[in-house]
Amino acid sequence: MILTDYYRFERVAKKAKHRMDCTASTESYPEFENRRATKAYRETEKRDAIKIGDLIIYWVIPDNHMRADRKRKADRSITIKSDNLSSVYNWQREGDYWFAFGDFKGTTDALLFIYQVKEVDATIQAGAVIEVFVARGKSNECNTLCNLYSDGELDEEMNALRQQVTKSVTEPERP
């Protein structure tokens, strides 16, 4: 099996413009698990509440001007607590969804993203979903992984990981 871990993030927050909450995961990737909230924060006028154990990422447009030697500029990046975890490079569009890749900063792990994110005035809209699949030790093989995905050869692994979800981590609010 090439893909080892799965995380699903959805737009749950009402106030934060770029926040995506983990709603389902295999809870097996230490790089994400070590970044779960260890302290609760109550909701304020300007901030959404955070519960102990929540995993929250921010989906942002990166400052690509930082490194002049960069060969390709990232389309997005994911951050936790202002720490950039991965740049996100779009690979192809499939209907309403994008497929993209990146690697987890400081590791040799590749990340594959399937996402549908709509933004209005730089605010992520309700219904936004980001699925992250981890391929441990495969950061040098992102193009190969993207080709495998395009050919449909990762579909079974992706579906198997989706079925291994241990629990819903953050319950989205239902209208």
Side-chain angles (χ1 to χ4, degrees):
M1 209 165 153
I2 297 170
L3 302 177
T4 56
D5 311 281
Y6 170 72
Y7 287 79
R8 179 183 175 92
F9 296 90
E10 296 181 52
R11 172 72 173 167
V12 175
K14 303 291 184 199
K15 299 172 186 170
K17 292 181 179 184
H18 306 288
R19 176 176 157 168
M20 299 290 287
D21 291 57
C22 182
T23 56
S25 77
T26 55
E27 294 186 344
S28 55
Y29 188 54
E31 299 300 331
F32 277 142
E33 293 305 311
N34 293 338
R35 289 172 170 80
R36 288 193 180 275
T38 57
K39 183 177 178 184
Y41 294 92
R42 63 181 172 80
E43 183 175 341
T44 66
E45 283 182 28
K46 297 181 182 181
R47 185 175 66 198
D48 294 289
I50 299 174
K51 296 181 240 160
I52 293 174
D54 283 354
L55 178 59
I56 298 163
I57 63 169
Y58 292 87
W59 182 258
V60 296
I61 298 172
D63 293 332
N64 284 317
H65 67 279
M66 299 298 270
R67 290 193 42 200
D69 64 339
R70 184 175 288 168
K71 292 180 181 161
R72 180 175 177 187
K73 293 183 178 182
D75 298 294
R76 291 284 187 264
S77 67
I78 58 171
T79 64
I80 294 178
K81 296 180 184 176
S82 300
D83 184 22
N84 181 33
L85 303 180
S86 177
S87 295
V88 178
Y89 301 95
N90 287 339
W91 179 262
Q92 69 185 33
R93 187 178 186 117
E94 294 184 354
D96 291 340
Y97 289 87
W98 278 94
F99 174 67
F101 66 91
D103 58 1
F104 203 98
K105 182 179 173 184
T107 71
T108 59
D109 303 332
L111 301 177
L112 302 180
F113 301 89
I114 298 175
Y115 68 92
Q116 181 181 27
V117 176
K118 293 178 183 166
E119 295 174 299
V120 175
D121 296 328
T123 301
I124 296 173
Q125 299 302 298
V129 174
I130 301 170
E131 290 185 299
V132 181
F133 294 89
V134 180
R136 295 187 194 193
K138 305 284 186 188
S139 65
N140 292 330
E141 300 173 35
C142 284
N143 284 334
T144 302
L145 291 170
C146 291
N147 288 329
L148 288 171
Y149 172 78
S150 295
D151 293 341
E153 294 182 35
L154 295 178
D155 291 348
E156 285 183 28
E157 288 187 38
M158 289 177 160
N159 290 331
L161 285 170
R162 287 179 182 121
Q163 291 174 0
Q164 290 177 21
V165 169
T166 55
K167 64 178 181 177
S168 178
V169 181
T170 303
E171 290 295 330
E173 289 183 22
R174 303 289 180 215

